Amino acid sequence: HVQLVESGGGSVQTGGSLTLSCVASGYTYTEYCMAWFREVPGKEREAVAGIDCDGKIIYGDTVRGRFTVSRDTAANTLFLQMDHLKPEDSALYKCAAAPAPRFALLWQWPKDQIGYWGQGTQVTVS
């Protein structure tokens, strides 16, 4: 049973930093690729950052240069270091996992039926 649990969200001032964590269980990192997404009511779910199963890192255009994604394979944990935060970064941040053949689809079309999803952790920047 695949389970993803996010943590690390909170409230921060503009320009501040936060680090999010997503602990995965029920599979190993070689089986599933992982990524971070964010949700704002009334908007489409947005791809933030991800690491494919070969270790290639990708970023969404709005966060490139400010956010850093990494993973601890031994702990099956995905991290998101968020620096220089802006109010428009406020969102519910969710991590998701999908097997390699579906990861590109997950990144482009981040719907619930594509992969596994955590419940999310809220980030508020003011």
Side-chain angles (χ1 to χ4, degrees):
H1 176 64
V2 176
Q3 187 173 15
L4 302 171
V5 180
E6 303 96 333
S7 63
S11 296
V12 65
Q13 293 188 335
T14 298
S17 298
L18 281 174
T19 300
L20 307 183
S21 300
C22 173
V23 179
S25 60
Y27 68 91
T28 63
Y29 78 94
T30 56
E31 299 175 285
Y32 285 82
C33 320
M34 296 178 70
W36 287 98
F37 299 85
R38 60 188 184 188
E39 300 177 355
V40 175
K43 292 187 176 181
E44 292 288 324
R45 187 177 280 168
E46 179 185 4
V48 175
I51 303 178
D52 72 13
C53 296
D54 294 324
K56 178 184 176 182
I57 292 176
I58 50 177
Y59 292 101
D61 291 339
T62 58
V63 306
R64 189 176 293 112
R66 298 187 298 121
F67 291 10
T68 304
V69 64
S70 62
R71 69 184 180 191
D72 180 338
T73 55
N76 228 9
T77 301
L78 187 72
F79 300 99
L80 184 66
Q81 173 68 40
M82 305 185 296
D83 298 315
H84 307 294
L85 283 162
K86 306 174 182 180
E88 50 264 44
D89 294 318
S90 297
L92 180 66
Y93 283 74
K94 290 185 172 182
C95 71
R102 295 173 67 84
F103 185 68
L105 179 63
L106 175 68
W107 184 258
Q108 295 295 328
W109 196 58
K111 304 298 183 184
D112 287 348
Q113 57 265 46
I114 307 297
Y116 295 94
W117 292 82
Q119 294 299 307
T121 184
Q122 181 67 39
V123 172
T124 302
V125 185
S126 60

